Amino acid sequence: MIKALRFALVAFGRDVRSGELAVLFGALVVAVAALTAVGFFTSRVSQAIRAQAGEVLAGDLRLESGRSPSPRYEAEARSRGLAVAHLTSFPSVVYAGDVSQLATVFGADAAYPLRGQLKIAAVPYGSAHPVSGIPAPGEAWADSRLLARLAVPVGGRLRLGALSVRVTAVLDYRPDQGTGLADLAPTILINGADLARSELLGPGSRATWSLLYAGPPAAVDAYAAWLRTQKSAAERLTDAGESSEQMKSATERSGRFLNLAALVTVLLAAVAVAMAARRYASRRLDLVALLKSLGASQRFVLGTTLTELVLVGLCGAVAGTVLGFGAESGLAWLVRGLLKTELPPPSLLPAWLGLGTAATMLVGFALPPLLQLRRVPPARVLRHDLAPPPLRWGLPYLAAAGALAALLYALVRDPRLVGYAVGGLFASALVLGAAGTLLVRVTRSVRGGAGIAWRYGLANVARRGRESVVQIVAFGLSLTVLLLLALVRNDLIDEWQRSLPPGAPNHFLINIPPADAGPLAEFLTGHGVAAPVLAPWVRARLVAVNGVPMQARMPRSDRGRAFAEREQNLSWAEALPPDNRVVEGAWWQHPDPAQPQVSVATEFQEELGLKVGDRLGFDVAGESIVATVANVRKVRWDGFRPNFFLLFAPGVLDASTGTFMTSVHLDAAQRPALAELVRRFPSVTVIDVAALLGEVRRIMDRAAVAVEYVFGFTLVAGLAVLFAAIQSTRDERRYESAILRTLGASRRTVLYGVAAEFTALGLLSGVLAASAASAIGWLIASRLFGLHYAFDWTVWLGGLLAGALIVGVAGTFATRRVVQSSPMRSLRDA
Amino acid sequence: MQVLESRHVAKEVSSPEGTLTIVADVSFAVERGQSLAIVGPSGSGKSTLLAILAGLDLPTRGTVLLNGTELTALDEDGRARLRAGHVGFVFQSFHLVPSLTALENVLLPLELAGTDGAPARAREALDRVGLDARRRHYPRQLSGGEQQRVAIARAFVARPDLLFADEPTGNLDSATGARIAELLFEFNRELGTTLVLVTHEQTLARRCRRVLSLDAGRVVADVAGGA
Ligand SMILES: Nc1ncnc2c1ncn2[C@@H]1O[C@H](COP(=O)(O)OP(=O)(O)OP(=O)(O)O)[C@@H](O)[C@H]1O
Ligand SMILES: [Mg+2]
């Protein structure tokens, strides 16, 4: 064994110097680097994004309760190093002289908000600026709506129960003001110290006590887990992940883009590793036969092979990890701005991950052909055509793909994404293989006509049979990815950003009485706002599922309980709204009003465990309605248009029930019109989501940059596969071209032959790759990202061109040296 | 004392046209220090027989004894171990490891057998074939004749009992071929190494003490040679 080790070390050194291991090593480094960089980056960014998403809660974690929560909660949180803030809210009538208005009163302590910032303005609907701190005792910040209703200017006094406060600013934005459309009343923020003096918090008050927490993610998670075991069912715990549908959609999508890029990179690199290992093994056949004839045992051969493999793995993992760390820093720099919080320090985890990737790839994809070396018949030294028994690759490669999929799953924890990427690549390889076999057959019969170069080239494609199919698969896969990167990626990212255009709605108008609908639309168009689309809007409570009352089937999760207990906003629609996609059941055509149907969003369906065909009982303003679930919708919430968890078929609700809502885009110049709007349509409620919209847009922009960067790795992995495929027939070519030239063929003829062969291979794989890229692009867009994808004929043109140019030119160029070296030399080396 | 014995050795392979007999019932024995040439038309089974005699391949029938050990009863590793100390090879196409220098190529069998003082012995062997000055050169920097001399140094460095050569002069011009043959017979005389060589060259065959003629896998003549 020591012998084998020594020999392996020497052999490794030589193989490194001669560049024999370059492709294998390169593929490994790319995979490890991509995985470490993206894996590490994604986790850091998702933490940062989580902190950002926490703005919507004004903290990373929020506990809401109908009673003052146990002081133990706060003590425990502080002992775990978390920051804690208190916020108490309750509905109350606010007086300005004789005028009164129902409002929601918020009493905060100085720590509020733990995440995000309050914004205030000097005049109602004026331009706002961020501020730190809260109103001093005896002061209040009221929102524009309240001041407009009460006709009180900044500086005026308001009365709250026994408390009198002076308005010192207009409250423009609270990070946790929400878009749930539940907080309908105008708001006023006072200092928590004044709460007692108002004498409004006595028994019977409908107050909500909120405890806000913030801290490092791990500590927050641990505390949340603890709190779940302590809190009563009536206390509702929300974490940043479930805070805002819009924010969640946007961050999920950016995370998916990054993960997808990393997955494809690693899978491609695995293909490159497999190809490189195949060639490496085939180049060692002679050496192994010779060693065996000189008396080397199978163990010796195995030992040297494994040692070299381990060395390659270690070096690849180390180099890849170093590169990955470097790339990660670059990535972090690119998205600097996106991360307001300090990034957590680098940990050793990605290094282990890199080692794991290297090990899986080598064991899974490089070991099978190398193990085969052990079985090289020693008589090969005398008869060159003797080779080890052909590798049954099916099983080992399948096992390797499984192991790799498991590793990738451990990294991204998104079974659907991993499934799509692994399955997609696998299916593409199969289809490419089948089509390649067919095409190779066809070329066999079309060798007549054309010049000698083409005839020779095409004959080669056909003769190399299996090797050609492998090359077509490899070229096809790399071209597919290159096409996806070149054409589809831009479309996807553009489409994603287009889903939130500059004119995206930034205000919701709700509670529009039917009588006001026409005049309101006129009012808006009169102020230069595009005519709004009004959606019917009804508040209703879910009371039973399949005849079982909700009290008897209360969901476990806080969110599910909220769905079951609270009033829901719902609407009805004839056609499927634009940001919605039916994932189960079918959208209704000509629904029968006598058989009420309802469509539920996936969130609602999952939390309550519903299925198509379930009968849901609702209480709509005292009227009871039973409707059958007709379909389940996936909703894209980050489009900032009115969307609903529940949609009825037309005719179920009386058209006069409820009110209307809409969303509009108002620029800074149009905002002051809101003051007039609120005066003219007193029952209409305006909800400002401009700040949230800005956050979502910022995440998108930064994420797009990050995604482009990570796709750079994918590009390199694609090129590695391409290179490995070109290299795979290099030795044969050297020998063949030497023979041809010995027979009198000119360099030129031989080179044209090679060019013809590569161009033919490139064209074949280009066409196949274009089809694969279109199909995958469509799948990715529609299934994974819920985006619209338009088929584009330029993909095919691109495929043909890229195939002929990249494969043809690169292949010919890479083999040129082989063809041009003297035939003498080539034959001697063979 | 017999160093190599072949008893009713036969090799058959199955092909689409039925069973193909490549070597049929070959029996003979070789004394220590002897030299044996195997001749015959192309395709007569010479290389196949050589591979079987050296334990690189197994016969379908019959036994081979090397130094009294039954080769055919050993597994592949057992045969490799036996080769490691006792058998050397010289091939028509030299088979030097292209990434190793001349000296490293010669060192290879010593390292595999775990012999002491390997480097000194390797240099000595290389010197013996007149290539000590080229020891740091790689095979591609050497001519065909020089490469074959390195191969001969590699074959003899472990002082094997037996040396097998398949067309050792086949790729060389006649003058170079003669030098190579000269070297082989020098080692045969000085070290007592038994030579078994397959050749087309009449001059080379005639220098062997015994010539075995094969045709279609059968021994058709077994005569004493010139030397
Ligand atoms: N494994 C095998 N499968 C099929 N046929 C084989 C196999 N090994 C050898 N042969 C055939 O057996 C015959 C003898 O081959 P061998 O290489 O021993 O001939 P040879 O005498 O060395 O010829 P040459 O002088 O041309 O080197 C040839 O026809 C060869 O094709
Ligand atoms: Mg032969």
Side-chain angles (χ1 to χ4, degrees):
Chain A
M1 217 55 219
I2 299 295
K3 257 189 321 184
L5 203 71
R6 229 178 65 82
F7 185 81
L9 280 172
V10 176
F12 179 69
R14 274 194 309 263
D15 284 346
V16 168
R17 260 179 280 132
S18 65
E20 194 78 349
L21 288 168
V23 181
L24 187 61
F25 185 74
L28 208 58
V29 169
V30 169
V32 173
L35 208 65
T36 25
V38 179
F40 193 44
F41 178 74
T42 315
S43 77
R44 290 218 288 179
V45 167
S46 68
Q47 282 174 25
I49 282 175
R50 211 170 83 148
Q52 196 125 15
E55 286 199 7
V56 185
L57 296 178
D60 296 329
L61 196 67
R62 186 177 180 120
L63 181 81
E64 289 179 349
S65 172
R67 290 172 304 154
S68 181
S70 155
R72 281 190 307 126
Y73 297 171
E74 182 176 347
E76 177 72 20
R78 294 212 186 271
S79 79
R80 287 170 186 258
L82 299 182
V84 181
H86 298 260
L87 185 71
T88 311
S89 63
F90 54 92
S92 173
V93 177
V94 179
Y95 294 91
D98 297 337
V99 193
S100 71
Q101 166 68 39
L102 184 69
T104 307
V105 180
F106 288 88
D109 67 9
Y112 172 86
L114 293 174
R115 298 272 184 234
Q117 278 188 303
L118 295 168
K119 285 184 191 165
I120 55 172
V123 293
Y125 299 106
S127 70
H129 59 271
V131 63
S132 47
I134 55 162
E139 295 181 357
W141 297 343
D143 69 9
S144 302
R145 262 198 297 156
L146 184 62
L147 295 178
R149 291 268 163 77
L150 295 172
V152 167
V154 172
R157 293 202 84 85
L158 297 177
R159 200 155 42 76
L160 279 167
L163 180 74
S164 167
V165 289
R166 200 168 67 86
V167 177
T168 52
V170 178
L171 180 61
D172 180 79
Y173 171 76
R174 278 184 304 118
D176 53 342
Q177 67 191 19
T179 56
L181 312 185
D183 307 318
L184 304 180
T187 54
I188 177 166
L189 178 69
I190 60 171
N191 194 295
D194 285 342
L195 281 173
R197 287 202 283 135
S198 73
E199 292 171 14
L200 287 171
L201 275 184
S205 78
R206 286 172 48 216
T208 302
W209 278 266
S210 302
L211 267 180
L212 279 50
Y213 309 93
V220 171
D221 285 347
Y223 176 72
W226 175 83
L227 193 54
R228 280 204 176 89
T229 65
Q230 302 290 317
K231 73 181 188 66
S232 72
E235 291 171 323
R236 181 171 139 82
L237 190 64
T238 316
D239 67 33
E242 50 189 289
S243 54
S244 152
E245 296 301 338
Q246 287 91 344
M247 199 73 117
K248 211 169 108 188
S249 273
T251 54
E252 258 177 15
R253 237 188 283 268
S254 28
R256 280 215 160 145
F257 268 126
L258 284 173
N259 282 334
L260 186 71
L263 287 185
V264 174
T265 308
V266 171
L267 289 173
L268 271 184
V271 174
V273 164
M275 303 268 312
R278 249 169 67 98
R279 170 157 192 262
Y280 181 68
S282 79
R283 280 177 69 93
R284 283 191 73 145
L285 289 176
D286 285 331
L287 177 66
V288 169
L290 179 73
L291 288 175
K292 279 185 162 186
S293 79
L294 295 179
S297 64
Q298 296 202 3
R299 254 186 60 188
F300 178 85
V301 172
L302 196 66
T304 51
T305 309
L306 288 183
T307 310
E308 277 212 58
L309 207 59
V310 168
L311 287 174
V312 172
L314 278 178
C315 294
V318 169
T321 309
V322 169
L323 196 68
F325 270 112
E328 199 272 339
S329 321
L331 211 48
W333 179 79
L334 269 180
V335 298
R336 61 210 181 279
L338 172 60
L339 317 168
K340 285 182 186 165
T341 49
E342 271 300 298
L343 281 178
S347 75
L348 270 180
L349 186 74
W352 289 117
L353 203 68
L355 212 60
T357 319
T360 312
M361 293 239 246
L362 285 180
V363 170
F365 295 96
L367 196 56
L370 290 176
L371 274 186
Q372 219 47 13
L373 282 176
R374 192 175 38 125
R375 303 172 64 179
V376 173
R380 185 182 164 94
V381 288
L382 293 174
R383 284 186 57 92
H384 196 75
D385 56 333
L386 291 177
L391 179 64
R392 274 188 212 97
W393 8 350
L395 211 61
Y397 283 175
L398 218 59
L404 198 61
L407 189 83
L408 295 174
Y409 175 73
L411 176 73
V412 304
R413 305 217 167 264
D414 185 341
R416 231 157 57 96
L417 194 65
V418 174
Y420 272 115
V422 175
L425 209 66
F426 199 69
S428 306
L430 275 186
V431 172
L432 282 166
T437 312
L438 201 78
L439 289 168
V440 165
R441 290 248 169 88
V442 172
T443 50
R444 226 164 246 170
S445 53
V446 296
R447 41 174 99 173
I452 171 152
W454 270 102
R455 208 159 61 229
Y456 170 67
L458 287 184
N460 263 344
V461 172
R463 186 175 49 75
R464 264 192 262 281
R466 189 176 143 136
E467 207 54 44
S468 293
V469 174
V470 171
Q471 276 191 319
I472 289 179
V473 171
F475 287 146
L477 282 182
S478 44
L479 285 177
T480 303
V481 171
L482 294 184
L483 284 176
L484 275 172
L485 289 185
L487 301 166
V488 183
R489 180 208 64 208
N490 276 334
D491 289 356
L492 268 183
I493 292 178
D494 283 357
E495 178 67 33
W496 184 34
Q497 287 177 326
R498 237 199 324 274
S499 71
L500 209 57
N506 54 6
H507 290 82
F508 283 100
L509 307 183
I510 61 174
N511 275 340
I512 307 167
D516 279 352
L520 181 77
E522 254 170 54
F523 174 87
L524 287 171
T525 42
H527 282 84
V529 179
V533 180
L534 296 175
W537 195 58
V538 179
R539 308 266 296 168
R541 190 184 297 276
L542 179 66
V543 289
V545 174
N546 292 330
V548 182
M550 284 322 287
Q551 290 90 317
R553 66 188 310 285
M554 205 37 100
R556 255 232 196 94
S557 73
D558 283 338
R559 192 163 185 227
R561 227 194 312 271
F563 280 142
E565 286 175 337
R566 293 192 179 176
E567 278 206 314
Q568 299 299 319
N569 304 307
L570 48 83
S571 184
W572 65 86
E574 183 146 357
L576 184 67
D579 289 342
N580 292 240
R581 184 162 55 83
V582 172
V583 291
E584 257 178 76
W587 189 253
W588 41 70
Q589 318 282 342
H590 318 294
D592 176 3
Q595 313 218 302
Q597 297 184 69
V598 63
S599 164
V600 300
T602 46
E603 291 86 356
F604 202 81
Q605 178 241 346
E606 280 159 17
E607 292 292 347
L608 295 178
L610 302 178
K611 57 187 183 305
V612 172
D614 278 347
R615 282 170 300 109
L616 308 185
F618 291 97
D619 173 353
V620 186
E623 185 191 352
S624 127
I625 291 177
V626 176
T628 309
V629 176
N631 55 61
V632 179
R633 282 168 299 128
K634 176 98 193 131
V635 181
R636 278 198 41 218
W637 299 98
D638 52 1
F640 284 86
R641 277 177 287 265
N643 267 307
F644 300 88
F645 287 127
L646 295 163
L647 276 178
F648 278 112
V652 178
L653 297 173
D654 186 348
S656 64
T657 318
T659 56
F660 287 91
M661 73 169 294
T662 189
S663 61
V664 293
H665 175 82
L666 299 176
D667 56 36
Q670 291 165 330
R671 260 170 67 99
L674 284 174
E676 195 190 335
L677 185 145
V678 179
R679 260 197 309 279
R680 276 202 36 203
F681 306 97
S683 51
V684 173
T685 306
V686 179
I687 293 170
D688 181 359
V689 292
L692 184 64
L693 184 79
E695 280 307 304
V696 169
R697 187 173 281 141
R698 220 160 59 87
I699 290 177
M700 273 187 184
D701 288 348
R702 294 296 184 167
V705 177
V707 168
E708 297 268 354
Y709 183 86
V710 175
F711 273 141
F713 278 96
T714 319
L715 187 75
V716 175
L719 292 176
V721 173
L722 204 69
F723 187 68
I726 288 174
Q727 292 278 306
S728 69
T729 51
R730 200 178 142 104
D731 300 318
E732 270 180 72
R733 267 171 228 290
R734 177 195 294 271
Y735 188 69
E736 282 166 10
S737 78
I739 291 186
L740 280 174
R741 287 185 53 202
T742 319
L743 292 178
S746 68
R747 269 181 201 193
R748 207 181 221 197
T749 310
V750 176
L751 198 61
Y752 282 178
V754 170
E757 184 181 347
F758 274 119
T759 309
L761 280 176
L763 287 173
L764 294 187
S765 20
V767 175
L768 294 172
S771 317
S774 303
I776 295 173
W778 172 78
L779 259 176
I780 292 177
S782 61
R783 297 280 129 168
L784 282 179
F785 294 102
L787 297 170
H788 170 75
Y789 176 69
F791 281 92
D792 190 352
W793 62 271
T794 52
V795 173
W796 270 273
L797 194 68
L800 278 175
L801 279 178
L805 282 179
I806 300 182
V807 177
V809 173
T812 312
F813 196 76
T815 338
R816 196 188 43 153
R817 277 232 329 266
V818 167
V819 173
Q820 292 190 339
S821 67
S822 90
M824 223 310 251
R825 170 83 147 268
S826 305
L827 287 176
R828 247 171 62 184
D829 286 354
Chain B
M1 160 100 192
Q2 285 164 359
V3 66
L4 178 70
E5 189 180 351
S6 161
R7 291 180 189 160
H8 307 292
V9 162
K11 177 81 178 176
E12 288 163 358
V13 293
S14 46
S15 73
E17 294 88 44
T19 314
L20 191 73
T21 304
I22 305 170
V23 175
D25 194 34
V26 172
S27 299
F28 66 90
V30 185
E31 300 286 325
R32 181 172 297 281
Q34 229 190 5
S35 55
L36 172 75
I38 301 174
V39 298
S42 184
S44 55
K46 306 181 295 289
S47 297
T48 308
L49 180 61
L50 193 77
I52 293 170
L53 294 177
L56 296 176
D57 201 359
L58 282 179
T60 21
R61 267 196 313 278
T63 46
V64 175
L65 293 152
L66 207 152
N67 262 347
T69 311
E70 195 180 323
L71 258 189
T72 35
L74 300 174
D75 62 4
E76 204 195 292
D77 277 351
R79 282 178 272 136
R81 244 190 321 276
L82 198 62
R83 275 197 301 274
H86 304 281
V87 175
F89 283 101
V90 175
F91 308 100
Q92 176 173 5
S93 49
F94 324 140
H95 281 327
L96 297 182
V97 181
S99 56
L100 297 185
T101 62
L103 185 68
E104 289 167 334
N105 264 291
V106 178
L107 261 169
L108 211 51
L110 295 177
E111 288 186 329
L112 284 173
T115 320
D116 294 333
R121 281 179 63 178
R123 275 193 72 167
E124 187 194 321
L126 211 49
D127 190 35
R128 186 69 191 68
V129 297
L131 286 174
D132 189 44
R134 313 290 302 269
R135 65 178 181 280
R136 290 214 182 83
H137 289 198
Y138 286 92
R140 62 171 184 283
Q141 297 167 309
L142 302 172
S143 75
E146 286 162 346
Q147 287 187 50
Q148 195 62 309
R149 272 148 68 197
V150 174
I152 288 174
R154 183 178 68 186
F156 281 104
V157 71
R159 316 236 157 158
D161 304 318
L162 256 167
L163 181 121
F164 291 99
D166 192 3
E167 315 258 14
T169 58
N171 275 359
L172 305 169
D173 62 68
S174 53
T176 317
R179 273 227 47 208
I180 294 298
E182 197 52 52
L183 272 172
L184 288 174
F185 285 101
E186 260 175 51
F187 279 114
N188 170 246
R189 272 195 310 276
E190 289 169 18
L191 304 175
T193 310
T194 312
L195 287 186
V196 176
L197 39 96
V198 166
T199 184
H200 274 118
E201 313 251 344
Q202 286 302 317
T203 43
L204 183 58
R206 253 185 274 123
R207 294 186 63 171
C208 293
R209 261 196 270 163
R210 194 171 156 198
V211 179
L212 205 67
S213 301
L214 281 192
D215 193 6
R218 289 177 187 282
V219 180
V220 291
D222 184 351
V223 297

